[in-house]
C-alpha cells in the first residue's frame, strides 16, 4: 500500500492574473479623477461664458484625442440647439449651426439625453456637422468629419446642451473612455450653466439699465421743456424792467446823488446779467435741439475778440486786460456772432474769478491747421478732476470760500453753451488750470476758409 503522495509545490500567481490587471484600472481611475478635477477647477474659476467654453473644449479635445470639439447650447426661447463654440488644434473654429431636437447627431443626443457614439459617420445618414462652420462664413477650412461622439450637458436635472467630439478618421470609444468623457461633460455642465445664468443676469441688468436711462432721458426732456417755457416767459418782463431802468437812468442823471446813481447802475448790471443767463438757457436748448443754425462766412477773429472786449469795458473796473494777437487779420470760416458770444462767455467767466485788481490775458495763436483763442485769469484755479465736467450743462465748481464762487454767480450754462457751437464749428474747447494758479480757457477753430 503506497503512502501519501507528495504534494506538488504551488506555482506563484501569474503576473498577468486579476491582481496585476487591477493595477492599471486603478491607476487609470486615479488619472481620470485628477483630469476631471483639473477641468472642473479651470471652468469654475470664471463666470465668462466664452472663457468657460474655451477651457472646457480645449481640455476635452486634449483628453479625448479628438480632432475637433464643439458645444451646442439649448436656446430656451426657441428650443433649438445653437453652436456656441468649437475648437481644433489650431484654435477656435467658426460656428453658426442650429439644430432642432432629433435633428442630426447632436439633436439625437439632445432628444435621448444620453451619449451617442458614431464610429463611422458614413454609416449614419442623419449626421450633421455639430459645430459648423456657417456656410456664409466660409473662412476656415475644416477637414471632413468621419467619426462622432456626442454627450449631453446636464445641470441641475435638465439638459442645457450637447458636447461633440469629431474625428477625421473612423474611431470607436471604449465603454471606459465614453464613461470618462461623459463624466467630464456632466461635471463641467454646472460651470457652463452658471456662466449662462450670469450672462442672462447681465443682459437683464443691461435691459433694465436701458429702460431706466430712457426714463431718465424722458424726464430730462420734460424738465428742459418746462425750464424753456418758464425762462422764455421771463424774458418779456425782464426786458421791460431793463428798458425802464435805462430810461430812469437817463432822466435821473442830474437829479440823483452819486450813491443813488451807483445803485441804479448796479441794478442795470444785474438785469443785464439775468438777461444773459436767460439767453444762455434758451441758446443751449436750441443748440441741443439743433435749432440754432450756424451762419458760416469769413470771420476775422481779431475783430471778433476786440468787439467782445469793447462790450465788457464797463465791467472791467480796475482789472487789466492784455490782448495778444497777430498783426494781420486772422480769417476763418465761422459764424461771427456766435464766436463773439463764445468769447464773451469766457470773458464773463474770467471777470467773475479774477480779483478786482487782477489781470486777464486774451490771445489768438496760429498754427497751420487751427487757430487757438484763449482767455487766462488770475482766479483760484480749477482741480484737474473738474476740467471736463465744467463744460457739462448746469455744472458748478466750488472755488475757495475766500473768493467769489461760480455757484452763486452763474447758472453753469455759459461754458456748456461755448462747447456746443465750438464743436459744431469742428473745433475743440478746454481748460488748463490747477488750484492756486489761475485758469486758461481756450478753444480752437479749423484754420481754413473753405
Amino acid at each position: 500500500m503506497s503512502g501519501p503522495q507528495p504534494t506538488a509545490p504551488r506555482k506563484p500567481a501569474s503576473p498577468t492574473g486579476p491582481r496585476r490587471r487591477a493595477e492599471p484600472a486603478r491607476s487609470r481611475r486615479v488619472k481620470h479623477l485628477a483630469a476631471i478635477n483639473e477641468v472642473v477647477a479651470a471652468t469654475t474659476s470664471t463666470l465668462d461664458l466664452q472663457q468657460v467654453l474655451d477651457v472646457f473644449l480645449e481640455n476635452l479635445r486634449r483628453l479625448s484625442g479628438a480632432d475637433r470639439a464643439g458645444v451646442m447650447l439649448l436656446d430656451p426661447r426657441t428650443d433649438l440647439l445653437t453652436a456656441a463654440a468649437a475648437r481644433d488644434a489650431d484654435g477656435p473654429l467658426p460656428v453658426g449651426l442650429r439644430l432642432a431636437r432629433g435633428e442630426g447627431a447632436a439633436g439625437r443626443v439632445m432628444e435621448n439625453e444620453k451619449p451617442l457614439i458614431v464610429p463611422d459617420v458614413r454609416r449614419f445618414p442623419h449626421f450633421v456637422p455639430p459645430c459648423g462652420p456657417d456656410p456664409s462664413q466660409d473662412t476656415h477650412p475644416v477637414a471632413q468629419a468621419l467619426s462622432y461622439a456626442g454627450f449631453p450637458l446636464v445641470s441641475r436635472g435638465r439638459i442645457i446642451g450637447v458636447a461633440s467630439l469629431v474625428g477625421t478618421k473612423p474611431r470607436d470609444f471604449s465603454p471606459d473612455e465614453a464613461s470618462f468623457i461623459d463624466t467630464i461633460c456632466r461635471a463641467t455642465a454646472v460651470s457652463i450653466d452658471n456662466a449662462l445664468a450670469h450672462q442672462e443676469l447681465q443682459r437683464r441688468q443691461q435691459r433694465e439699465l436701458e429702460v431706466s436711462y430712457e426714463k431718465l432721458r424722458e424726464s430730462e426732456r420734460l424738465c428742459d421743456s418746462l425750464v424753456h417755457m418758464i425762462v422764455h416767459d421771463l424774458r418779456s418782463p425782464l426786458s421791460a424792467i431793463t428798458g425802464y431802468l435805462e430810461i430812469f437812468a437817463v432822466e435821473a442823471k442830474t437829479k440823483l446823488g452819486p450813491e443813488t446813481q451807483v445803485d441804479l447802475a448796479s441794478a442795470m448790471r444785474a438785469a443785464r446779467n439775468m438777461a444773459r443767463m436767460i439767453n444762455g438757457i434758451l441758446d443751449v436748448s436750441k443748440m441741443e435741439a439743433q435749432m440754432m443754425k450756424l451762419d458760416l462766412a469769413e470771420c476775422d477773429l481779431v475783430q471778433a475778440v476786440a468787439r467782445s472786449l469793447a462790450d465788457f469795458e464797463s465791467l472791467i473796473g480796475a482789472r487789466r486786460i492784455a490782448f495778444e494777437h497777430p498783426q494781420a487779420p486772422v480769417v476763418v470760416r465761422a459764424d461771427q456772432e456766435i464766436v463773439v458770444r463764445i468769447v464773451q462767455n469766457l470773458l464773463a467767466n474770467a471777470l467773475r474769478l479774477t480779483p478786482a485788481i487782477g489781470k486777464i490775458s486774451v490771445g489768438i495763436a496760429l498754427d497751420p491747421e487751427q487757430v487757438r483763442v484763449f482767455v487766462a485769469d488770475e482766479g483760484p484755479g480749477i482741480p484737474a478732476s473738474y476740467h471736463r465736467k465744467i463744460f457739462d450743462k448746469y455744472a458748478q465748481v466750488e472755488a475757495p470760500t475766500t473768493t467769489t464762487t461760480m455757484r452763486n454767480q452763474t447758472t453753469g450754462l455759459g461754458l456748456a453753451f461755448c462747447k456746443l457751437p465750438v464743436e459744431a464749428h469742428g473745433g475743440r474747447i478746454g481748460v488748463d488750470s490747477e488750484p492756486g494758479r489761475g485758469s486758461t480757457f481756450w478753444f480752437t477753430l479749423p484754420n481754413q476758409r473753405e
Side-chain angles (χ1 to χ4, degrees), residues 276 312 319 341-355 360 375-380 382 390-391 395-397 404-407 409-410 412-416 418 430-431 433 439-442:
R276 191 179 299 112
F312 273 74
R319 300 176 186 86
R341 291 186 57 188
I342 293 170
V343 177
Q344 287 179 341
N345 273 286
L346 297 182
L347 281 171
N349 191 64
L351 286 171
R352 280 192 296 271
L353 297 175
T354 300
I360 297 174
V375 178
D377 62 58
E378 293 183 342
I382 301 170
I390 57 176
F391 294 98
Q396 302 283 353
V397 178
T404 305
T405 64
M406 291 177 68
R407 180 181 296 277
Q409 292 289 326
T410 177
L413 284 171
L415 294 177
C418 293
V431 61
S433 180
S439 305
T440 299
F441 286 85
W442 53 266

Side-chain angles (χ1 to χ4, degrees), residues 176-250:
D176 188 56
E177 289 175 323
S179 176
F180 170 53
I181 300 301
D182 187 44
T183 303
I184 290 178
C185 292
R186 290 179 182 273
T188 310
V190 177
S191 300
I192 297 174
D193 197 18
N194 290 339
L196 283 168
H198 180 67
Q199 185 182 72
E200 180 58 30
L201 177 62
Q202 287 184 315
R203 287 174 180 167
R204 189 181 307 120
Q205 290 175 336
Q206 181 64 28
R207 288 194 297 268
E208 292 173 354
L209 183 62
E210 290 173 355
V211 171
S212 299
Y213 178 71
E214 186 54 40
K215 289 181 178 178
L216 182 62
R217 287 288 303 271
E218 181 61 26
S219 297
E220 185 180 4
R221 283 193 290 268
L222 291 173
C223 181
D224 284 348
S225 297
L226 179 60
V227 169
H228 187 276
M229 286 188 294
I230 293 173
V231 170
H232 187 274
D233 290 343
L234 285 174
R235 187 160 56 174
S236 295
L238 182 60
S239 297
I241 292 172
T242 304
Y244 283 121
L245 283 174
E246 291 175 350
I247 294 172
F248 185 61
V250 173

